[in-house]
Amino acid sequence: MKIRSVRLREVGCFVDPVKIEGLVDGLNVLAGPNELGKSTIFRALRTLFQERYHSNNAQTKRLRSLREGARVGIPLIEAEFEAGDAVWRLRKQFAASKTSAHATLHDANGGQLVARGPEVEEQLQALIGGVEVGERFGLLWAEQGHFEPIKLRGGQEAALRQAIEQEVESVAVGAQFREVQTKVREALAELESEGKQRKPRGRYKDAIERKEELGDAFAAAREAADRAQQRLKRLADLRESRERLSAPERQAELQHKLAAVRSQLEEARQSRAHRERAELALKEAMLNRKTADGEFARFEEMRATLKKLSSEIGGAEGQLALTREQVAAKNLAFAAAREAQQEAERNETRAREVLRAVEEAERVRLTKDSLEQLRKRLKGGNAAQRAIDEQTALVNKNGATLARLKQIRALYSEVREGATRLAAARPTVSVGYFEGAEGRVRVDGRVLDDGETLNVEKLTKLEVGDVGEITIEPGVQEELVDDRIDLEARQHQLEDFLREIGATDPAHAEILGEERSETENGLAQATARLALFAPNGLAALAQEISDLERLHGSAAVRDDLPERGSAEQAAADAQNARALATNAIEQQGQDLATAKAHAAALVGQLDGLKADLAARRSLLPNDAAVEEKRRVLEADVGRSVGTHEEAMASAEMWRARTPDDSALETLVLREKRLRQQEENGQRELQELEAEMRAIEAQLERDGDDGVGERVGELEGQVTQADEQVCRYQSEIEALRMLGETLGDVQGEARETYLEPVGKRIRPYLEMVFDEANVDFGDGFDVTGLTRGARTEMLGHLSDGTREQIAVLVRLGFARLLAERGQPAPVILDDALVFSDDSRIERLFDALQLAAQSHQVIVLTCRERTFEMLGGNRLHIEPWEVGE
Amino acid sequence: MTFRFMHTADWQIGKVFGGFDHDTAGLLKEARLGAIDRIGDAAVAAGARHVLVAGDVYDVSVPETRTLRQPLERMRRYEAVTWHLLPGNHDHLRDGGIWDRLTAIGLPDNVIAHLEASPSEIQNGIWLLPAPLKGRATSLDPTAWMDSAVTPDGAVRIGLAHGSVRDFGTAGETSVRIDPRRVKLAGLAYLALGDWHGVLKISDRCWYCGTPEPDRWPDNDPGHALAVQVDGHDQAVEVAVLETATYRWLKRSQRIEAAGDLNALSKELAGLELENSRLMLHLTLTGSVSLRERAAVDAKLEEFSGRYRHLLCDQAALHSQPDSEDHEQLAAMEGIGTVAARLGEIAAQEQGAQGQIAERALLRLYELAVAGGKDAER
């Protein structure tokens, strides 16, 4: 089918009738500015072929022109097209009312009316294909900005399929296939969620939950059953324990043991009471015996005391008489001692007076000797003082002190060193005479000896006899000038020092130094002597002599005195004698006092004894009474001894028969242990029975709950639920495999099915994109572009690329239709607005290529750019409707 | 001296049937109680005044009290019959256990629980030597004491025990061993044994009576009680096997190639003169059927399921493979044929789980595409 012309009236912006004629088989271009009405023409053509003339939908309403005054016109569209071998003129007036809407189809060549009204749509369908009116064309039309994925309507897809199926022998999947696929998906969706994380749902989920619930219930029942079994076991154990505890032989044995130990204990306690009583009796007997013994002993003691007192009184009286005699003797001795002491004191006084006289005489003698010594020391001191004076004068005269000598020595050494150094720097002249010429050389009138060396210090002239004069002038050496000046200064200072001490040269100075040193030594010795003789000075010594002479110069010395040693001995002896006498009198005094005290004590003792005796005699006045008392007491003692021995025998017997504390404690503990054993047994028995009752009650409840049967019942149900889950799992696995296989087959089929389309699109794609291919989805919608190994989703591509793909895919579809004998025009309404200059030229090439196969109609506002496209240029012209 | 009695065992009252639907489980449970009536009726009919129950009266060690009472009430009704009960391995004697509970409840006058291993004269000159079990398993022969059990001269000694006289292997119900020479050693006129669920004659004087009501698809011969007549301790014993089962547990294996193959089985079962509602059918199907036939087989099995009391069908060894007609049907649908071919290929090549899944997927494809889709659960 090819469009030859199109005419409009009251369509959109075209209120007045316009026409476009002269469309050719190949490429047709209508270029013009915006608002020229290109999109109106596009929509008009689409409506003409796609919509029924009486349609009153948005598409047809949109066509209505807007006249001035808002009056709405009735759109009239007419087109001539070539289909089959004829050219047809189709006219439709679109209106809401049936009276205004009409359609006609004429044979354009002959002008005959072929159809009118509804028949037009049928005829049109027959002429342009076995699908819904015009859908095939809509498939190929690209509108401005509409480059989203191609969504085919049923008829459009059918048209393409029809074309493809003419080419592909085995068509892939059909409606039944999809129906099965849908059912599989639905069946799976009933059992599990979609996506990667497939989760059970619906009946499958219910089955799993039931299985889990039953599993839990089964586990709980099993646990309850196990507990019941444990209770049964525990009950058996308890019964066994109860039997053991309540066994008669066990009870009898325990009671027998208890009775035996209690009997032993009672016997032991009775024995113990007997023993205690025997012990008490023994104690009492012992006490009685002790009392009787005591009484007797006291009696005997009293008897002895009486005897002793009588004896003691006799003794004391004798002793008192003796003591009184001793006191008298002591009094005499004391008086004699007093006399001796007085004599000794007088002797001592005399001896002391003699000693003092001896000491005085001795002191006078010593003072005289001392005066002589002092006078000798004064004499020596005076001589020493004179020597000091002489030596001091000599020292003062000699200035060669050690310090000065040190200075002279240092200067002399420096002068010598300086002279030597200067001499070394000066020329020397040595003389050696030939034989016979000795003494012919003179200097300053002096003959130089053979071999003498002369150090030339200044301008010197040597006279050589009979020869002449030799003048030697030492050169001036600047570096020695300072040395010479320094040497001269030192020589001057040396000479000053020598002059100062009166020395002619350094050797003389040394001699003077030695003389001074000797004088100083003499002075020191004299000074030492003076200090020895008069340490405090000569004046003090003289004063001391004067004082002694004044004190003792006139004292006389006695001749009748003994030697000092004898006098001292006599004095000491007298002192000792007096001390002995003193001691003797003190001793005598003490002895006398002692004797007196002893006598007094004896008197007191004697009085006491006599009083005691008198008191005791009041109880036992005579021997008969004593003897009577003795007999009575002896009888008491005899009785108490008998009673005591009996008590001892009894106590001993009970001690032997009574168990000791340890044995009794053992019996008590044993009784306690057996009693506790009995009590514990009873308590344990009660506890056992209580626990048994509780377990039996629980077992009864278990029985009421049917624990055992419940386990069996649930076990079967768990098995059933498990089998059910397995069945669902099996079903899911089968459905998954079926679904995957369906998907695989569908994918492969799609590739085969789309190959005819791809084959037609590929040449156009390669003209615009290098080595590119488009990817299709389930239908014919483009999902992406593959360039080389890279696939890009359509939505990720640029607007320009997407609009280019939209155009190229339509060219491919059109080529397929054309090659399958169903040519249809491709109409592009400003469908290439985003393409850059480079791409658009390639697209122009593609459009030119496409125009070789089918009609292409391009509507564009880009007049200058599309000049490069070439093709048949179209124009809008006024249309005389009557034409 | 003729002594007639019924020999029964393994009632296992209270057994639950968790693997069955609720209704069936209830009926099976009830049937076990019904067996007591049938045994009582048989005793009355045979002129037997005693029923010896050789252990396992109850199934679990802690049954519901109601469960405990139910058989007592059944037995109580047969006043002319004395029921002698023996603890077996399922209901062994233990403190606080079933027998204590029964004692506490109070046994009917015509019911005696033999809880001690000691002889008792149950009828003039007839001495019963019971061997109650005190545990699920024991290494000691519980009947050993019978050898030295003292009974009057000329007494007819009848042993009552629960255990195994043969090495029954895994089929054995207990770990209790009984010396097979016990009859001779203890001078027994008859040894009534329980434990083995089928009727089994060990010797003329030693029998297993089996359970009166089967509870599974057994390989032995359950569902009976024995009517025994003893004419003296050294006289021959007459034993008659009586049917007591309400339900018939039938096990069949069928190789099929088409659903029609199940018709033969249907006819066979119809010929059993057994109410369908009393038939417990365990069917194992093997072979290979087309997808189309598989649907028909499923339909047939649904029919069976409704017809019989219970149907357990093991189809693990029944394979579904598309035949040419199946292929034709599937290939007629765009793309479906290809999918079917691929699944068929996996099913044929993969021996394990993948193969089974593929077979199932193929079947589902057929159901969804051709049969219009059926319940996913089937």
Side-chain angles (χ1 to χ4, degrees):
Chain A
M1 190 272 254
K2 293 162 190 160
I3 296 170
R4 294 302 180 201
S5 63
V6 57
R7 303 180 185 93
L8 315 173
R9 187 189 70 189
E10 294 194 19
V11 175
C13 61
F14 298 112
V15 176
D16 298 324
V18 293
K19 64 178 182 182
I20 301 165
E21 294 180 339
L23 278 79
V24 297
D25 284 1
L27 182 59
N28 300 277
V29 181
L30 172 61
N34 292 329
E35 299 186 354
L36 181 65
K38 298 184 295 296
S39 294
T40 303
I41 294 165
F42 180 86
R43 282 196 299 274
L45 274 172
R46 192 166 63 188
T47 306
L48 179 65
F49 286 103
Q50 289 185 354
E51 302 293 337
R52 294 178 186 275
Y53 68 94
H54 53 70
S55 294
N56 188 27
N57 56 23
Q59 185 74 18
T60 54
K61 284 177 183 172
R62 200 175 162 200
L63 284 178
R64 290 173 190 166
S65 65
L66 291 173
R67 288 173 176 274
E68 289 179 11
R71 190 180 71 81
V72 177
I74 300 171
L76 174 68
I77 307 168
E78 181 183 281
E80 285 180 1
F81 64 95
E82 187 179 326
D85 295 330
V87 178
W88 308 90
R89 185 167 65 247
L90 172 65
R91 174 182 286 188
K92 288 184 183 175
Q93 180 161 301
F94 293 90
S97 72
K98 288 187 178 177
T99 53
S100 300
H102 67 258
T104 56
L105 182 66
H106 287 84
D107 179 346
N109 289 330
Q112 297 91 344
L113 178 66
V114 177
R116 180 189 294 277
E119 290 178 5
V120 171
E121 311 292 4
E122 292 171 14
Q123 282 293 327
L124 185 60
Q125 192 170 338
L127 284 170
I128 63 176
V131 295
E132 192 67 18
V133 178
E135 284 195 335
R136 184 182 307 165
F137 306 104
L139 164 67
L140 304 178
W141 296 358
E143 197 172 354
Q144 181 178 343
H146 286 195
F147 44 77
E148 293 305 318
I150 301 169
K151 294 291 181 189
L152 301 184
R153 290 193 285 176
Q156 293 170 345
E157 188 173 341
L160 265 184
R161 287 184 184 286
Q162 193 180 2
I164 290 167
E165 285 164 14
Q166 287 173 5
E167 192 164 324
V168 182
E169 189 179 338
S170 168
V171 228
V173 299
Q176 286 162 311
F177 186 98
R178 293 195 189 85
E179 193 181 339
V180 169
Q181 214 169 15
T182 304
K183 284 178 182 172
V184 169
R185 274 196 214 103
E186 288 171 355
L188 258 181
E190 282 180 15
L191 299 175
E192 63 179 15
S193 63
E194 293 174 359
K196 284 185 180 176
Q197 299 286 331
R198 293 171 175 171
K199 292 181 179 170
R201 66 201 297 183
R203 288 170 295 167
Y204 180 40
K205 186 181 176 191
D206 293 345
I208 289 173
E209 287 174 354
R210 176 165 170 71
K211 178 188 165 188
E212 289 171 352
E213 282 170 13
L214 284 169
D216 292 345
F218 175 63
R222 171 63 65 85
E223 202 176 323
D226 289 346
R227 281 199 299 272
Q229 292 297 331
Q230 287 166 5
R231 285 188 196 103
L232 285 167
K233 185 176 181 310
R234 175 67 181 156
L235 190 62
D237 293 345
L238 290 171
R239 286 194 174 166
E240 191 182 332
S241 298
R242 185 180 65 176
E243 280 173 16
R244 182 174 48 78
L245 287 170
S246 60
E249 55 274 20
R250 184 179 181 280
Q251 291 293 330
E253 185 186 353
L254 182 61
Q255 289 304 322
H256 175 71
K257 282 182 182 173
L258 198 54
V261 75
R262 280 178 177 159
S263 169
Q264 287 173 357
L265 194 57
E266 180 59 27
E267 196 177 326
R269 281 178 177 150
Q270 285 177 3
S271 295
R272 198 175 179 83
H274 282 301
R275 195 187 81 175
E276 283 172 0
R277 284 195 293 277
E279 294 286 357
L280 278 173
L282 174 61
K283 205 170 176 182
E284 191 179 348
M286 271 177 70
L287 199 62
N288 290 338
R289 180 176 174 177
K290 198 174 174 183
T291 305
D293 285 347
E295 284 291 319
F296 187 75
R298 279 193 295 278
F299 168 77
E300 285 295 317
E301 188 183 355
M302 183 175 282
R303 203 162 62 121
T305 302
L306 287 174
K307 197 181 283 182
K308 185 183 165 196
L309 280 174
S310 298
S311 171
E312 281 176 352
I313 285 167
E317 282 172 345
Q319 198 174 1
L320 180 60
L322 186 63
T323 302
R324 280 177 177 159
E325 284 174 9
Q326 286 174 345
V327 167
K330 295 285 181 188
N331 274 327
L332 290 175
F334 183 74
R338 181 177 293 277
E339 187 63 29
Q341 186 205 19
Q342 287 169 350
E343 180 60 28
E345 283 175 352
R346 284 190 296 272
N347 289 338
E348 185 184 9
T349 301
R350 281 193 296 272
R352 285 186 181 278
E353 284 172 355
V354 171
L355 181 58
R356 272 196 300 276
V358 169
E359 284 173 349
E360 180 63 20
E362 192 171 334
R363 192 176 56 81
V364 169
R365 193 168 53 247
L366 283 173
T367 302
K368 283 184 178 177
D369 292 344
S370 181
L371 266 176
E372 191 60 30
Q373 285 294 323
L374 289 172
R375 283 175 187 137
K376 284 180 183 173
R377 283 170 55 192
L378 182 63
K379 187 178 177 183
N382 287 331
Q385 183 63 50
R386 282 193 299 276
I388 287 168
D389 293 343
E390 287 169 7
Q391 295 294 339
T392 301
L394 287 173
V395 166
N396 291 339
K397 269 195 250 175
N398 189 343
T401 62
L402 189 59
R404 184 61 75 196
L405 277 176
K406 280 183 182 173
Q407 287 173 324
I408 288 169
R409 284 174 197 145
L411 281 169
Y412 180 58
S413 175
E414 287 168 2
V415 166
R416 277 196 308 178
E417 282 176 14
T420 304
R421 195 164 55 248
L422 286 172
R426 284 194 299 269
T428 58
V429 176
S430 296
V431 179
Y433 292 106
F434 294 129
E435 195 173 341
E438 291 87 352
R440 290 174 67 183
V441 179
R442 293 173 176 271
V443 61
D444 295 334
R446 183 181 64 92
V447 174
L448 287 171
D449 295 332
D450 186 28
E452 183 178 350
T453 299
L454 186 67
N455 189 264
V456 182
E457 186 177 354
K458 58 189 177 184
L459 185 70
T460 303
K461 290 182 178 174
L462 299 178
E463 295 168 19
V464 181
D466 301 330
V467 176
E469 230 176 36
I470 298 169
T471 302
I472 301 167
E473 186 177 4
V476 178
Q477 291 178 303
E478 292 296 331
E479 67 273 19
L480 297 176
V481 172
D482 289 340
D483 289 348
R484 185 179 297 119
I485 293 167
D486 185 53
L487 179 61
E488 284 171 0
R490 292 180 191 282
Q491 280 176 332
H492 288 313
Q493 193 175 10
L494 180 61
E495 286 164 5
D496 289 344
F497 284 160
L498 290 172
R499 196 180 309 117
E500 190 178 86
I501 64 171
T504 55
D505 53 33
H508 186 205
E510 292 293 338
I511 292 167
L512 289 175
E514 284 174 9
E515 286 173 357
R516 180 178 169 101
S517 176
E518 284 174 6
T519 306
E520 282 172 346
N521 285 339
L523 179 60
Q525 286 171 2
T527 305
R529 282 198 303 277
L530 179 60
L532 185 66
F533 291 138
N536 300 320
L538 288 171
L541 186 59
Q543 183 61 43
E544 191 177 353
I545 290 169
S546 172
D547 289 345
L548 279 175
E549 284 171 347
R550 192 175 62 247
L551 285 172
H552 302 289
S554 60
V557 179
R558 287 173 60 182
D559 297 331
D560 59 343
L561 294 172
E563 289 295 322
R564 180 181 174 92
S566 300
E568 284 175 347
Q569 185 62 47
D573 291 345
Q575 188 179 6
N576 288 338
R578 195 260 305 161
L580 287 171
T582 301
N583 287 341
I585 195 168
E586 283 175 358
Q587 185 62 46
Q588 290 300 329
Q590 284 174 2
D591 290 347
L592 180 61
T594 302
K596 284 180 178 175
H598 186 52
L602 286 172
V603 171
Q605 186 184 0
L606 192 59
D607 292 345
L609 289 170
K610 285 177 178 174
D612 191 12
L613 182 64
R616 292 177 193 275
R617 278 293 179 193
S618 64
L619 295 173
L620 295 169
N622 51 43
D623 289 345
V626 169
E627 193 56 32
E628 178 59 27
K629 180 72 176 177
R630 187 168 179 278
R631 273 201 307 275
V632 170
L633 289 173
E634 275 180 348
D636 287 348
V637 168
R639 278 196 301 278
S640 70
V641 167
T643 306
H644 180 226
E645 283 172 353
E646 284 174 10
M648 277 206 298
S650 173
E652 197 57 38
M653 180 191 75
W654 285 113
R655 278 179 197 146
R657 289 172 60 174
T658 304
D660 60 11
D661 288 351
S662 170
L664 185 64
E665 181 66 20
T666 304
L667 280 174
V668 168
L669 290 175
R670 187 182 299 159
E671 192 273 341
K672 185 180 176 185
R673 178 173 58 76
L674 289 169
R675 185 161 34 82
Q676 284 178 343
Q677 187 181 348
E678 185 185 28
E679 289 168 3
N680 289 344
Q682 291 300 323
R683 189 167 56 249
E684 198 177 339
L685 213 51
Q686 288 169 359
E687 287 170 0
L688 283 176
E689 282 171 353
E691 189 179 350
M692 281 165 61
R693 282 195 295 277
I695 290 176
E696 281 164 356
Q698 184 59 48
L699 281 170
E700 198 172 336
R701 285 197 291 280
D702 289 342
D704 292 342
D705 293 344
V707 170
E709 289 150 286
R710 180 85 179 131
V711 170
E713 191 177 342
L714 284 167
E715 191 172 17
Q717 289 177 1
V718 167
T719 305
Q720 278 188 321
D722 196 34
E723 287 170 358
Q724 181 69 12
V725 168
C726 287
R727 280 197 291 276
Y728 280 127
Q729 285 170 342
S730 169
E731 175 67 10
I732 286 169
E733 285 167 347
L735 286 170
R736 279 184 191 163
M737 183 181 277
L738 178 55
E740 285 164 8
T741 310
L742 285 164
D744 291 347
V745 169
Q746 187 185 31
E748 292 163 15
R750 188 191 305 120
E751 283 183 18
T752 308
Y753 191 75
L754 291 173
E755 179 53 25
V757 177
K759 194 168 80 181
R760 269 60 177 213
I761 295 172
R762 217 167 289 127
Y764 299 123
L765 281 171
E766 286 172 358
M767 293 177 79
V768 180
F769 309 103
D770 296 330
E771 293 183 10
N773 210 347
V774 288
D775 304 319
F776 289 97
D778 285 341
F780 291 98
D781 55 317
V782 176
T783 57
L785 179 69
T786 300
R787 284 185 274 200
R790 196 159 65 102
T791 298
E792 297 164 277
M793 301 300 289
L794 190 67
H796 296 165
L797 296 170
S798 69
D799 290 347
T801 303
R802 281 191 290 161
E803 73 173 12
Q804 289 148 21
I805 289 171
V807 169
L808 296 175
V809 167
R810 282 169 173 81
L811 293 180
F813 287 169
R815 188 165 183 169
L816 172 66
L817 291 170
E819 287 180 6
R820 302 318 311 175
Q822 303 165 32
V826 170
I827 303 178
L828 308 176
D829 175 21
D830 265 338
L832 296 167
V833 293
F834 294 106
S835 300
D836 60 29
D837 293 344
S838 166
R839 285 270 175 89
I840 208 156
E841 278 196 53
R842 295 188 196 183
L843 279 161
F844 289 166
D845 293 342
L847 289 171
Q848 281 291 354
L849 177 63
Q852 303 296 315
S853 304
H854 50 79
Q855 190 182 34
V856 177
I857 302 169
V858 177
L859 311 176
T860 179
C861 62
R862 300 168 68 183
E863 294 177 71
R864 190 169 302 166
T865 303
F866 276 66
E867 280 176 2
M868 291 186 291
L869 176 58
N872 174 41
R873 294 279 156 170
L874 302 175
H875 304 283
I876 301 172
E877 298 170 321
W879 173 36
E880 296 295 331
V881 179
E883 290 178 23
Chain B
M1 183 198 298
T2 297
F3 176 59
R4 292 192 188 88
F5 64 93
M6 296 296 296
H7 171 194
T8 180
D10 299 286
W11 293 356
Q12 292 182 291
I13 301 297
K15 184 176 180 66
V16 290
F17 295 87
F20 296 84
D21 65 78
H22 188 262
D23 292 344
T24 304
L27 290 171
L28 292 173
K29 218 173 159 184
E30 179 62 25
R32 304 191 80 73
L33 286 169
I36 300 172
D37 292 341
R38 289 185 289 283
I39 293 164
D41 291 343
V44 172
R49 290 174 50 207
H50 295 270
V51 176
L52 307 187
V53 188
D56 283 358
V57 176
Y58 296 97
D59 185 57
V60 291
S61 55
V62 190
E64 278 184 62
T65 305
R66 182 168 180 273
T67 305
L68 273 183
R69 286 180 176 277
Q70 282 174 328
L72 301 183
E73 296 311 314
R74 300 277 179 157
M75 290 185 278
R76 190 196 300 277
R77 294 200 301 229
Y78 296 89
E79 293 175 352
V81 177
T82 301
W83 304 74
H84 300 270
L85 310 184
L86 181 79
N89 62 318
H90 277 244
D91 53 0
H92 59 270
L93 194 59
R94 63 194 303 185
D95 288 325
I98 286 175
W99 301 97
D100 279 2
R101 289 171 65 196
L102 285 171
T103 306
I105 288 169
L107 294 172
D109 293 342
N110 62 335
V111 176
I112 300 170
H114 292 274
L115 310 180
E116 297 288 339
S118 63
S120 61
E121 189 174 24
I122 57 173
Q123 190 174 304
N124 192 23
I126 307 298
W127 288 75
L128 184 67
L129 280 63
L133 291 184
K134 295 186 176 178
R136 270 197 167 272
T138 173
S139 59
L140 300 175
D141 182 347
T143 64
W145 72 277
M146 294 178 186
D147 296 356
S148 55
V150 179
T151 53
D153 290 341
V156 174
R157 290 155 65 100
I158 295 175
L160 181 63
H162 188 91
S164 171
V165 294
R166 282 186 177 181
D167 184 10
F168 291 132
T170 53
E173 280 288 320
T174 181
S175 300
V176 181
R177 300 290 172 188
I178 293 172
D179 190 338
R181 300 171 301 166
R182 187 62 60 212
V183 173
K184 282 188 180 175
L185 294 172
L188 301 177
Y190 184 83
L191 177 56
L193 293 174
D195 187 34
W196 181 244
H197 281 204
V199 173
L200 186 65
K201 177 184 176 183
I202 303 301
S203 68
D204 289 344
R205 296 179 185 278
C206 182
W207 285 71
Y208 280 100
C209 57
T211 180
E213 187 66 42
D215 58 7
R216 69 190 81 169
W217 289 276
D219 296 324
N220 49 29
D221 189 17
H224 303 90
L226 303 180
V228 185
Q229 180 174 319
V230 177
D231 291 323
H233 74 277
D234 54 355
Q235 299 298 308
V237 176
E238 288 181 24
V239 177
V241 179
L242 306 177
E243 281 199 12
T244 52
T246 300
Y247 292 96
R248 183 80 174 271
W249 295 64
L250 205 62
K251 205 176 191 180
R252 286 289 184 274
S253 182
Q254 180 83 41
R255 181 172 181 81
I256 59 171
E257 292 177 355
D261 295 340
L262 289 171
N263 292 337
L265 176 65
S266 185
K267 279 182 186 171
E268 182 206 334
L269 296 177
L272 289 176
E273 295 182 353
L274 184 72
E275 287 177 34
N276 288 335
S277 62
R278 291 169 58 191
L279 182 58
M280 306 290 288
L281 182 59
H282 182 185
L283 195 55
T284 302
L285 298 182
T286 59
S288 177
V289 295
S290 68
L291 304 180
R292 195 175 59 266
E293 279 302 314
R294 181 59 185 252
V297 168
D298 289 342
K300 197 74 182 170
L301 290 174
E302 282 181 5
E303 185 184 318
F304 278 18
S305 179
R307 183 184 302 166
Y308 304 118
R309 167 53 53 202
H310 182 77
L311 172 66
L312 174 64
C313 187
D314 181 357
Q315 300 181 60
L318 179 62
H319 299 288
S320 309
Q321 288 179 328
D323 61 6
S324 57
E325 195 177 332
D326 291 336
H327 277 306
E328 205 173 307
Q329 280 182 299
L330 292 167
M333 291 173 274
E334 292 172 338
I336 296 290
T338 309
V339 174
R342 290 203 185 167
L343 292 172
E345 201 173 325
I346 297 170
Q349 288 176 354
E350 301 281 347
Q351 295 299 316
Q354 279 299 101
Q356 291 172 4
I357 294 169
E359 191 178 316
R360 177 91 181 146
L362 186 56
L363 195 56
R364 292 293 285 135
L365 175 65
Y366 183 84
E367 289 166 359
L368 292 169
V370 181
K374 293 187 176 180
D375 187 357
E377 275 188 65
R378 202 193 61 235

